[in-house]
Amino acid sequence: EMSEMSERSKQNVAHGLAWSYYVGYLKIVLPRVKKSMEEFSRANPNVLACRETWKLHILVPLSCDIYDDLEKADSNIQYLTDLNETTLTRAGTKKRVYKHSLYAIKDEDNNKLWHCAVEYATPLQSLYAMSQDECAAFSREDRLEQAKLFYKTLEEILKGSKECAGTYRLIAYHEWDEAETHFLSRNILWHLHQQHHEEYAVYEGNQPHNPSTTLSSTELQISQSDLPQPLRSDCF
């Protein structure tokens, strides 16, 4: 019976992580992102030129392999500075600090620098750690399916959030080509280009190509049986 319960609970790991990430973090910080960007832009008018990119760009590697230092993940990504921090009292912690880092992304095609706020979706670290811990009985295949489910669940949650509308960009990707040094910066640049074209729709027919690391909808398909069931209180 415990084994069956454990197997069933795996279906809800990513679902719970996505909701926790949203309620405990994104719902708090995302509504404040554009204000922080605006404050930074007033002091540095030539850095954040495209308002459409004034969002938090959230990296979702389906491998769940996360670098603590983005500059080590890709040398074309360089830390610039931190945006103004938000300080709140949360869960008994006085003056808890929330902040985001601004990075310069080098575009090798034209030697141009693009700037944006980027960070990983930290709950993926938990999925990775579970797949490395024998006690969790969590395989690599489980991890991939849960990463896909985490992304799809988070995407749906954020789509339904009025507070977070227009404040984020989810960037999900596979790390297919380990020999490709700059796949991450190219992937981020593709999303920045897309947002630039959304604001300045004057280059129709000259859209940047979708990089191989950007996921198609078929790559994110999850079997219906793996989808978590709605949380209900009328079962008790």
Side-chain angles (χ1 to χ4, degrees):
E1 183 180 354
M2 289 297 294
S3 177
E4 290 176 3
M5 288 175 63
S6 176
E7 288 298 314
R8 289 197 300 270
S9 70
K10 287 182 183 179
Q11 298 179 4
N12 291 315
V13 170
H15 186 251
L17 286 175
W19 270 104
S20 178
Y21 184 46
Y22 168 69
V23 174
Y25 179 65
L26 294 182
K27 192 175 181 181
I28 298 168
V29 302
L30 287 181
R32 296 171 170 83
V33 165
K34 289 209 171 183
K35 182 181 177 182
S36 296
M37 293 282 194
E38 188 173 356
E39 290 171 351
F40 180 86
S41 184
R42 282 200 298 266
N44 305 270
N46 297 322
V47 177
L48 297 173
C50 178
R51 294 182 66 91
E52 192 62 33
T53 63
W54 291 11
K55 302 171 182 175
L56 182 61
H57 296 76
I58 303 170
L59 303 176
V60 186
L62 295 189
S63 66
C64 299
D65 193 6
I66 289 177
Y67 286 82
D68 288 326
D69 190 341
L70 274 170
E71 293 171 307
K72 292 182 179 178
D74 190 323
S75 61
N76 279 348
I77 303 174
Q78 294 296 317
Y79 169 77
L80 185 63
T81 188
D82 290 332
L83 295 173
N84 289 343
E85 62 188 36
T86 297
T87 304
L88 300 171
T89 296
R90 294 279 297 175
T93 300
K94 297 287 188 180
K95 299 180 180 180
R96 176 169 290 181
V97 175
Y98 299 88
K99 66 179 181 180
H100 309 291
S101 295
L102 199 65
Y103 287 87
I105 317 296
K106 183 180 179 181
D107 189 340
E108 292 185 326
D109 293 337
N110 53 26
N111 207 31
K112 177 181 177 180
L113 290 178
W114 294 70
H115 301 90
C116 64
V118 185
E119 61 187 52
Y120 283 103
T122 52
L124 295 179
Q125 288 181 313
S126 297
L127 287 179
Y128 188 87
M130 288 177 67
S131 69
Q132 302 298 306
D133 194 318
E134 292 182 1
C135 296
F138 203 73
S139 70
R140 185 174 180 179
E141 291 73 22
D142 290 331
R143 186 180 73 196
L144 176 59
E145 287 303 304
Q146 290 299 308
K148 291 179 182 179
L149 181 54
F150 172 83
Y151 172 78
K152 297 294 287 183
T153 304
L154 184 61
E155 184 180 46
E156 289 302 313
I157 292 170
L158 288 171
K159 279 182 179 178
S161 173
K162 293 180 180 179
E163 302 98 318
C164 299
T167 64
Y168 67 92
R169 184 90 170 192
L170 295 180
I171 304 178
Y173 58 91
H174 267 303
E175 297 169 334
W176 291 125
D177 190 356
E178 295 180 3
E180 174 50 56
T181 308
H182 301 301
F183 76 92
L184 183 55
S185 60
R186 288 215 313 268
N187 205 352
I188 295 171
L189 283 169
W190 184 84
H191 284 269
L192 293 175
H193 289 162
Q194 289 294 89
Q195 292 170 87
H196 184 269
H197 284 288
E198 288 168 11
E199 182 168 350
Y200 305 103
V202 293
Y203 300 108
E204 292 186 7
N206 190 32
Q207 297 285 346
H209 293 294
N210 192 335
S212 59
T213 49
T214 300
L215 299 178
S216 66
S217 58
T218 54
E219 289 178 284
L220 286 167
Q221 285 182 352
I222 304 166
S223 63
Q224 194 67 28
S225 61
D226 287 337
L227 294 174
Q229 300 301 311
L231 300 178
R232 298 176 57 186
S233 59
D234 56 352
C235 302
F236 299 93

